[in-house]
């Protein structure tokens, strides 16, 4: 369409311009249909047979924080101490 006609159709909201993007996806050199999970633990059997040399291992993440403890309680003496402190604070 000429620019003038296109502008007129857009002004009357009879034309909607859409941009389409497309991608070409091809198989790479490391393409595989099987999912290989890396090993996470080194066992004594792996060391004895020497199979650990050809297995892929999951890398360690030394910057992760880890899981917090699931449970835990205050020591009974710490509970008494905090209660006494609260009583004295209320008394002034």
């Amino acid at each position: 369409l000429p620019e003038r006609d296109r502008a007129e159709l857009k002004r009357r909201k009879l034309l909607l311009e859409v941009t389409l993007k497309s991608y070409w996806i091809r198989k790479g050199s490391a393409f595989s249909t099987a999912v290989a999970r890396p090993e996470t633990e080194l066992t004594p059997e792996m060391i004895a047979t020497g199979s650990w040399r050809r297995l892929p291992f999951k890398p360690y993440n030394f910057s992760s924080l880890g899981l917090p403890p699931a449970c835990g309680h205050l020591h009974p003496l710490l509970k008494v101490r905090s209660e006494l402190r609260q009583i004295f604070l209320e008394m002034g």
Side-chain angles (χ1 to χ4, degrees):
L1 286 173
E3 182 65 35
R4 196 175 108 225
D5 292 341
R6 195 169 71 203
E8 179 66 24
L9 290 172
K10 282 175 68 174
R11 185 182 64 80
R12 294 168 56 191
K13 297 185 181 176
L14 297 173
L15 178 70
L16 177 65
E17 289 189 74
V18 177
T19 304
L20 296 176
K21 293 183 181 181
S22 62
Y23 299 95
W24 291 94
I25 300 174
R26 287 181 251 165
K27 296 178 183 177
S29 61
F31 177 78
S32 174
T33 57
V35 178
R37 299 188 79 183
E39 291 290 329
T40 56
E41 295 182 11
L42 183 64
T43 62
E45 292 82 22
M46 288 180 188
I47 295 171
T49 61
S51 64
W52 64 272
R53 289 187 181 100
R54 40 183 198 279
L55 291 174
F57 283 93
K58 184 176 178 181
Y60 285 108
N61 184 3
F62 291 107
S63 61
S64 66
L65 297 177
L67 296 174
C71 62
H73 302 284
L74 288 176
H75 191 275
L77 292 177
L78 288 176
K79 286 184 184 180
V80 171
R81 186 173 76 176
S82 64
E83 288 176 14
L84 287 175
R85 181 177 178 186
Q86 188 62 34
I87 291 170
F88 286 130
L89 286 174
E90 290 174 357
M91 289 173 60

